[in-house]
Amino acid sequence: ARRYPTPTPVAAEPDPQRAPAHSWQTGGGGGAPLDDDLDSLLDRALGDASPDPRPTARRTLPDTPTRRQVATTLRALEGDVRRCGGDGVADTRIVVAGDTGRVVGVSVGGDAAGTSAASCVADHVRSARFPRFSRERFTIRFPYALD
């Protein structure tokens, strides 16, 4: 029996002149040419940033989360919300704090109002986390189908 060597997988060589730049907000690609000097890359990225990584000016944040961020965050909860039971639609009104991106208030109406499913839906929606934004609060209305 003749033995052949096992092929070794070879990763595609990245283009040394460009690195992909991805953003979960836009899904965009592209990128800037690479520089061999890591310090100069960091200097360009950070600019005049303070050593404290927390933003000091509210103007550096967007006014509100983008539509895509809101939809992605809330749709990720659909499976958990459906397991709450009930029929019809749970209409949620969600209040999010800008400085933390955390849900600070949830009310549930529609077909789920006043049911045990409403409490379950509210608990799941309270777990949502959004990117921080400059407004003090942001209110979202979002319907969840119950099955």
Side-chain angles (χ1 to χ4, degrees), residues 13-41:
E13 295 269 341
D15 181 357
Q17 298 302 310
R18 294 185 65 81
H22 297 283
S23 168
W24 72 276
Q25 294 174 335
T26 63
L34 287 179
D35 186 343
D36 293 324
D37 182 15
L38 181 58
D39 288 331
S40 66
L41 285 172

Side-chain angles (χ1 to χ4, degrees), residues 95-104 131-133 135-138:
V95 180
V96 181
D99 60 343
T100 63
R102 292 180 179 259
V103 175
V104 294
R132 293 175 38 205
F133 52 93
R135 263 200 213 168
E136 184 178 336
R137 293 180 187 256
F138 178 65

Side-chain angles (χ1 to χ4, degrees), residues 48-135:
D48 294 331
S50 72
D52 185 352
R54 294 174 292 186
T56 55
R58 291 181 74 80
R59 67 185 175 346
T60 62
L61 297 172
D63 190 41
T64 63
T66 66
R67 271 183 95 108
R68 185 175 187 176
Q69 290 168 331
V70 170
T72 300
T73 300
L74 296 177
R75 285 186 181 140
L77 301 172
E78 286 178 332
D80 292 332
V81 167
R82 282 198 175 143
R83 286 189 284 278
C84 288
D87 292 316
V89 175
D91 291 316
T92 61
R93 182 179 177 274
I94 306 157
V95 180
V96 181
D99 60 343
T100 63
R102 292 180 179 259
V103 175
V104 294
V106 179
S107 60
V108 180
D111 300 320
T115 68
S116 61
S119 175
C120 177
V121 169
D123 287 343
H124 286 297
V125 172
R126 263 188 218 96
S127 72
R129 298 292 179 260
F130 295 86
R132 293 175 38 205
F133 52 93
S134 64
R135 263 200 213 168

